[in-house]
């Protein structure tokens, strides 16, 4: 099994504190910025930042739907880590200042990929597909926090 990594990054036209608050808001902002690949979104506990537990379905491809149930932690300020209870998937959201009125938001997801030929295809194509989904989420985030 090889580790697979998908990353997307975007500069958002809003101060880091506003963007961090939006990213940490699992109750209102997060479901509003998700793309059509996400469904059945719910918050089980908490709702803001560390300690939140949330669940959703992620349809990565026409045939591949993943049930995700995350526990949110904040190992360092400006960084939220979502650890999936159903798999080895870990998603890290990092928000860093990019000047006075802008922020850089990076989403990085890692997981243990399959072995063999299936693992080769997963490692080759899954990061691009997931990054495409994340770019849509980041576009929605940018519209939400800059408005």
């Amino acid at each position: 099994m090889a580790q697979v990594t998908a990353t997307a990054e975007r500069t958002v036209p809003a101060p880091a504190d506003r963007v961090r608050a939006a990213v940490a808001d699992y109750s209102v902002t997060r479901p509003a910025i998700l793309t059509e690949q996400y469904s059945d979104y719910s918050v089980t506990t908490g709702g803001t930042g560390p300690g939140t537990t949330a669940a959703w379905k992620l349809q990565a491809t026409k045939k591949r739907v993943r049930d995700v149930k995350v526990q949110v932690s904040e190992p360092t300020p400006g960084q939220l880590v979502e650890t999936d209870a159903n798999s080895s998937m870990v998603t890290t959201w990092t928000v860093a200042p990019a000047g006075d009125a802008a922020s850089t938001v990076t989403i990085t997801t890692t997981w243990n990929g399959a072995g063999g030929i299936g693992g080769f295809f997963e490692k080759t194509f899954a990061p691009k597909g997931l990054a495409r989904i994340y770019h849509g989420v980041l576009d929605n985030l940018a519209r939400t926090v800059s408005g």
Side-chain angles (χ1 to χ4, degrees):
M1 273 201 247
Q3 189 172 49
V4 182
T5 301
T7 300
E9 184 174 278
R10 163 100 192 242
T11 299
V12 174
D17 59 341
R18 185 184 319 160
V19 177
R20 285 181 183 136
V23 168
D25 179 5
Y26 286 84
S27 295
V28 177
T29 305
R30 191 61 76 90
I33 65 171
L34 296 177
T35 60
E36 64 200 18
Q37 290 83 9
Y38 294 85
S39 62
D40 298 339
Y41 182 90
S42 66
V43 174
T44 310
T45 59
T48 304
T52 297
T53 304
W56 58 83
K57 292 185 185 299
L58 175 61
Q59 184 155 4
T61 67
K62 289 180 182 178
K63 295 180 182 180
R64 179 80 167 120
V65 178
R66 179 184 292 255
D67 286 312
V68 180
K69 182 179 180 185
V70 299
Q71 176 70 41
V72 180
S73 62
E74 186 176 21
T76 60
Q79 187 177 70
L80 290 176
V81 176
E82 302 170 350
T83 303
D84 185 13
N86 296 330
S87 71
S88 62
M89 190 169 71
V90 176
T91 300
T92 303
W93 290 71
T94 305
V95 178
D100 291 338
S103 306
T104 301
V105 182
T106 307
I107 307 171
T108 302
T109 298
T110 59
W111 68 94
N112 296 328
I117 192 72
F120 168 78
F121 285 106
E122 180 180 21
K123 190 168 185 154
T124 302
F125 297 108
K128 293 174 187 172
L130 193 53
R132 191 170 33 256
I133 292 169
Y134 287 162
H135 282 294
V137 172
L138 291 171
D139 288 345
N140 292 342
L141 174 65
R143 279 191 291 278
T144 299
V145 296
S146 64

